[in-house]
Amino acid sequence: MTQGKSPASMKPLRGAAKSAAAARARAEAVFERLAAALPEPKTELEYTNPFTLLVAVVLSAQATDAGVNKATRPLFALAETPAKMAALGEAGLTDRIKTIGLYRNKAKNVIALSQALIREHGSEVPHDRDALEALPGVGRKTANVVLNVAFGERTLAVDTHVFRVSNRIPLAPGKTPREVEDGLLKVIPERFMSHAHHWLILHGRYTCMARAPACGRCVVNDLCAWEGKTAAKPPPPPSRAKPRNPAEPTA
């Protein structure tokens, strides 16, 4: 009797298919650990609505979230809409964000994007990637953050922390942020996509740091293949309370 061919699903994986399967399995294991350690990760930027989130993300380029929050607390109390922000003018906004790096260019972009929102979108932040990226000062990373945080899209913003963590473990190694983003989208299980970039950002910010990674307290240490891992266990990171959205009622 002639033996029938084995179904494709029963054939052993080889080459690229085997590597892809291994990458997906590693990503699933990594995100299971990160999710267990921090079930509800949040952006550390403070905001009150989609517009103030958009402005905060634009201001955060090459700046720390803490530094941005310090400047935007009084700013957003005064100008939480495109019309109010535009009314400040470039000079008025520049004076209020001087503590943030590249503040002159950022002030120019924020005023211009506020005017564009008024003129082209009825003062609303568009729920559309192309429309967001057409705004002054808004690139793919910023659009991804706004789509994810403000609108619940399963997008993934690749900043310096996500780029570092993804290449170290590795999850989706790449030479550019877009290569890493595309690679991560292929290996991260759908159930983790809503919070994926927050888990990676916070892991890179507080554990997998650039210069002194805290490998001794890393929850994915045994899943990481990075050759530069350290053995010492440093003190725990500072407490990270959930940043308060000023729009939320206080107890």
Side-chain angles (χ1 to χ4, degrees):
M1 186 173 80
T2 303
Q3 187 174 4
K5 293 183 178 180
S6 298
S9 61
M10 295 179 65
K11 292 181 180 179
L13 296 175
R14 295 179 181 178
K18 187 174 183 179
S19 296
R24 289 192 295 270
R26 180 190 290 112
E28 182 168 23
V30 165
F31 281 97
E32 284 178 347
R33 301 267 188 94
L34 295 177
L38 187 64
E40 293 293 330
K42 304 291 182 182
T43 178
E44 293 188 325
L45 287 172
E46 296 176 2
Y47 65 97
T48 60
N49 56 40
F51 172 68
T52 54
L53 172 65
L54 173 61
V55 172
V57 180
V58 169
L59 295 179
S60 71
Q62 299 183 48
T64 66
D65 287 0
V68 171
N69 290 339
K70 185 176 180 180
T72 57
R73 286 177 194 130
L75 173 63
F76 292 159
L78 179 68
E80 80 288 0
T81 67
K84 291 179 181 179
M85 190 69 72
L88 290 178
E90 194 173 324
L93 178 56
T94 297
D95 190 56
R96 289 172 171 82
I97 62 170
K98 281 185 176 179
T99 57
I100 300 175
L102 307 175
Y103 64 92
R104 288 190 178 88
N105 191 54
K106 290 177 180 178
K108 179 180 179 180
N109 284 331
V110 168
I111 295 302
L113 74 82
S114 298
Q115 294 169 338
L117 290 174
I118 296 168
R119 183 176 62 250
E120 301 168 15
H121 300 287
S123 294
E124 298 292 331
V125 174
H127 185 177
D128 177 81
R129 176 183 298 283
D130 290 339
L132 283 168
E133 291 188 29
L135 295 171
V138 178
R140 186 175 183 85
K141 184 182 75 173
T142 296
N144 276 336
V145 173
V146 173
L147 289 170
N148 178 267
V149 176
F151 300 117
E153 293 279 341
R154 296 185 176 187
T155 57
L156 198 148
V158 178
D159 71 348
T160 183
H161 300 298
V162 175
F163 187 83
R164 180 174 64 255
V165 171
S166 181
N167 274 287
R168 274 184 179 174
I169 289 177
L171 290 171
K175 295 181 180 180
T176 67
R178 185 58 188 271
E179 284 183 9
V180 170
E181 178 186 339
D182 290 344
L184 287 172
L185 291 174
K186 292 177 181 178
V187 300
I188 298 175
E190 183 70 13
R191 69 183 188 277
F192 295 123
M193 277 304 303
S194 293
H195 297 312
H197 88 268
H198 285 124
W199 277 314
L200 293 176
I201 286 171
L202 294 173
H203 188 66
R205 184 173 291 164
Y206 295 108
T207 301
C208 193
M209 290 85 74
R211 296 185 180 180
C215 301
R217 65 163 181 257
C218 175
V219 297
V220 298
N221 189 308
D222 60 310
L223 301 174
C224 176
W226 183 46
E227 294 180 353
K229 283 192 292 186
T230 60
K233 185 173 183 179
S239 175
R240 301 197 308 276
K242 173 185 173 183
R244 185 177 72 84
N245 181 337
E248 297 176 351
T250 56

